[in-house]
Amino acid sequence: MLGVLAVSVTGALPWLVVGAWGLAGAGMGLIYPRLTVLTLAYSTPANEGFHSSALSISDASGSSVAIALGGLVFLALPSAAAGFAGVYLFTAALLLLSLVPGLRMRDGLRVGTRVEDGIRTGDGRR
């Protein structure tokens, strides 16, 4: 998103957007497996399936809702320039909102820490 913003504001070469989106895609590809591992680390074995499916559903529905709301923001503003600025502000607001739970999270459960009545080992067994 920052690459698109930089190209649209400065009039730089449009192929920079391709590189920026490639970098963003790589970052997303690296974070999703870590989110799954963190979610499963906080789960008990009985709840792992529920939490894994909840993570998948929230990922899909969160993306859909964010895209829909971004489109509404874009269409609600009178000009395309204002629409783009509105979408960037909306995205920044989502970023700030995501910091609230993100900063409250602690490190994932470490190997050997207590999980209810057992000890979680590195391979997922107790």
Side-chain angles (χ1 to χ4, degrees):
M1 196 70 146
L2 291 176
V4 175
L5 178 62
V7 169
S8 62
V9 169
T10 64
L13 298 173
W15 61 269
L16 291 174
V17 174
V18 174
W21 278 115
L23 187 63
M28 287 185 279
L30 290 172
I31 196 66
Y32 280 125
R34 285 159 179 77
L35 283 175
T36 303
V37 168
L38 184 63
T39 300
L40 294 177
Y42 279 112
S43 303
T44 62
N47 290 331
E48 285 177 352
F50 175 79
H51 293 166
S52 178
S53 65
L55 181 65
S56 296
I57 290 169
S58 66
D59 174 36
S61 61
S63 299
S64 300
V65 169
I67 290 169
L69 290 176
L72 287 173
V73 167
F74 184 81
L75 291 175
L77 297 171
S79 69
F84 280 114
V87 170
Y88 287 128
L89 290 173
F90 172 68
T91 305
L94 284 179
L95 172 67
L96 292 174
L97 183 65
S98 70
L99 287 175
V100 173
L103 294 174
R104 292 185 63 218
M105 297 294 290
R106 304 227 189 271
D107 288 341
L109 294 175
R110 303 276 186 227
V111 174
T113 57
R114 294 220 163 261
V115 177
E116 291 184 4
D117 58 345
I119 303 269
R120 184 174 290 274
T121 62
D123 59 1
R125 295 178 296 138
R126 287 183 183 223

